Amino acid sequence: MSPFTTQVIHLFAAVLLLIAFAMLAQRRIVALINLFALQGLALVGSTATVAWATGQRHLYWSAGITFALKVVLLPWLLHRLIRRLNVKWDVETLINIPTMMLVGIVLVVFAFNLALPISEFSQSIARGALGIALACVLMSFLMMITRSKAVPQVIGFLAMENGLFFAATSATYGMPMVVELGIALDVLVGMIILGVFMFQIREQFDSLDIHHLEKLKED
């Protein structure tokens, strides 16, 4: 496999990691959705590159599904959702941004050390990207647990799935098409359910702060 192809995949991996840091530090909800769409576009590029380098045609379908779902449909649904909910607030974090960035750096170092022995057994063309994929997953999880609003937590969950999908395509050349279609359908259905859930929270509490859900437990 040509070194140029491996470098291109590593470039897309670096872009995914940079976008993960940007999402971690982002305070504006609209910009956060746009960053998620940009992350999906980088994922499409890496998947198409792996498909071209390995000759596995089903990865082209995976790239197409990813583009339709994560670059076009889900960002459109999220933008429509925040317009319907009249969401204009900034993204609130439970800890300050500089501390989150430091924690993010620690997670990256931890992810690379954790993935190093695993990547040694990988025969893929971009086994070095496994650490970046794991770092993106951990940083997305950090974004989920440090946001107090429901919408950024949904975006964090979707970004976590991006990291997992990148790990699958770069380390194992993707999953069977039936599995990928099932995951895409699950993500779409989950997004619709979460949208309905957000409307219910807004109607009950006139806010999307998840701390209001504690009132239901107290009642």
Side-chain angles (χ1 to χ4, degrees), residues 28 32 34 91 119 125 135 144 147 157 181 212 214 216:
R28 301 293 297 177
L32 190 60
N34 293 335
V91 176
S119 61
I125 59 177
M144 286 180 61
R147 296 303 198 264
F157 170 77
L181 289 173
H212 290 302
E214 295 177 1
L216 296 177

Side-chain angles (χ1 to χ4, degrees), residues 50 56 58-59 62 165 167-177 180:
V50 174
Q56 301 200 33
H58 76 277
L59 289 178
S62 299
F165 188 82
T169 55
S170 62
T172 65
Y173 300 152
M175 300 168 285
M177 181 56 63
E180 293 177 1

Side-chain angles (χ1 to χ4, degrees), residues 98-114:
T99 302
M100 289 181 60
M101 298 299 287
L102 289 175
V103 175
I105 294 174
V106 172
L107 289 177
V108 171
V109 175
F110 172 76
F112 271 88
N113 282 278
L114 184 62

Side-chain angles (χ1 to χ4, degrees), residues 30 48 55 66-67 77 134 143 145 185 187-188 193:
V30 174
T66 301
F67 180 82
L77 287 175
L134 181 58
M143 186 174 71
I145 65 177
L185 180 61
V187 170
L188 182 59
I193 294 174

